[in-house]
Amino acid sequence: MRIYIIMKAIVPLILVALVLPKTSIYAHGEKRPMKKGILLVAFGSTIPEAQVSFDNIDRSVKKAFPGVEIYWAYTSRTIIAKMAKEGKNLATPAETLARMMREKFTHVAVQSLHVIPGAEFHGLTQNVRRYEGMSKGIEQVLVGRPLLATSEDLQRVAEAMLKIIPPERLKSEAVVFMGHGTHHPANVYYAALNYHVQKLDPNIFVGTVEGWPEIGDIKEDLKQGGLKKAYLIPLMSVAGDHARNDMVGEEENSWKSVLEKEGIKCEPVLKGLAEHQEFVDIWVDHLRTAFGHFD
Ligand code: CO
């Protein structure tokens, strides 16, 4: 009986839903032309030198998608707040999509410029999907994967890591890449990448600032391997605050200080991944995949 009452209430609603137009986009006979756009999303950086990385990505995306408008947004609230104090207004992905909606974009490919599919990436995906299918809004929002997503990406990144090592480094010397690291389960990507890269060169190591493996683990590995010198390279899109302070800063807990205390000579390389075309190409390819999947 109860079910019958519920059905009686629901069936007319279903019928109404069926006869309504699929979207209200075409209301008032307003047929909108397809307008595709790109939204590039980075974590952000407070360091002015980071702009080199962002400019390199921007240039590469423009070259790969001639004639497509490109927008930028940032996911770090801390960085947005800090930059606002300096009078620089960085937009969030939601703000930028609202603007793109007003500018009549119908399809937007959002490219995550993050390294792993961690908290930043999942938060981004969750937020931008809310901009899909609004009345008079954007019809479709697709998100491109970050640098590391599939096993193929891990292998490609491992190979790219080899290419950015300074040519003067000897095979008997270590190379330590500093990833960000996270409490998110996606932290496992760093250990997976370590596996891939060590298959190519056993003296290359991947550690993290805020996850696992930590510098303490790396230090033990270097000692065990009898390695006396290490090149330190950030595994982050920009050589920002972490690279300059946590990696090679003068404080006693910086990676450089920790390793040098053990008699391991350190050679810092202060360049972000996005300054190298090998890495930018991976992000661009992920964007190409997203862009090619519009309905
Ligand atoms: Co951080």
Side-chain angles (χ1 to χ4, degrees), residues 210-264:
E210 292 175 21
W212 185 87
E214 299 172 6
I215 185 58
D217 304 299
I218 303 288
K219 182 182 81 183
E220 290 309 316
D221 288 342
L222 297 195
K223 275 166 71 182
Q224 248 176 35
L227 297 155
K228 292 275 165 252
K229 186 175 172 182
Y231 286 82
L232 304 180
I233 309 179
L235 187 80
M236 301 183 204
S237 58
V238 305
D241 195 50
H242 287 301
R244 281 157 216 274
N245 297 310
D246 301 310
M247 192 175 82
V248 301
E250 290 310 318
E251 310 79 54
E252 62 168 352
N253 55 358
S254 79
W255 288 24
K256 183 169 171 273
S257 303
V258 169
L259 296 180
E260 287 192 335
K261 218 172 160 187
E262 297 295 328
I264 300 162

Side-chain angles (χ1 to χ4, degrees), residues 51-215:
Q51 200 51 45
V52 191
S53 291
F54 298 145
D55 289 345
N56 192 30
I57 295 171
D58 194 70
R59 207 176 312 115
S60 303
V61 173
K62 278 196 177 106
K63 209 173 141 200
F65 299 89
V68 181
E69 276 182 71
I70 299 161
Y71 291 74
W72 277 83
Y74 304 86
T75 56
S76 168
R77 293 303 156 106
T78 316
I79 286 167
I80 291 174
K82 271 192 194 163
M83 295 304 272
K85 277 188 195 142
E86 292 175 25
K88 291 186 188 94
N89 273 315
L90 302 182
T92 64
E95 286 164 350
T96 312
L97 282 172
R99 182 177 157 201
M100 291 177 86
M101 191 158 91
R102 203 168 50 233
E103 290 171 11
K104 297 191 168 65
F105 281 89
T106 58
H107 295 75
V108 179
V110 178
Q111 180 56 44
S112 151
L113 300 173
H114 304 106
V115 174
I116 56 161
E120 296 294 318
F121 173 75
H122 287 287
L124 169 69
T125 304
Q126 186 188 342
N127 289 353
V128 302
R129 285 212 175 123
R130 295 179 194 267
Y131 281 80
E132 192 176 63
M134 280 188 220
S135 167
K136 300 182 187 180
I138 300 163
E139 288 169 43
Q140 203 174 19
V141 177
L142 296 177
V143 183
R145 288 168 169 164
L147 189 72
L148 297 169
T150 62
S151 291
E152 287 73 29
D153 295 331
L154 286 158
Q155 186 59 26
R156 202 172 159 194
V157 166
E159 284 164 18
M161 286 160 76
L162 256 59
K163 291 194 190 126
I164 67 164
I165 295 168
E168 61 273 21
R169 174 249 172 180
L170 306 172
K171 282 267 185 188
S172 58
E173 295 168 340
V175 182
V176 179
F177 282 88
M178 179 196 251
H180 192 279
T182 172
H183 57 277
H184 190 275
N187 188 70
V188 294
Y189 272 90
Y190 296 104
L193 183 60
N194 190 61
Y195 176 85
H196 277 262
V197 79
Q198 290 201 346
K199 283 214 163 222
L200 303 173
D201 182 333
N203 286 341
I204 304 182
F205 301 84
V206 180
T208 66
V209 198
E210 292 175 21
W212 185 87
E214 299 172 6
I215 185 58

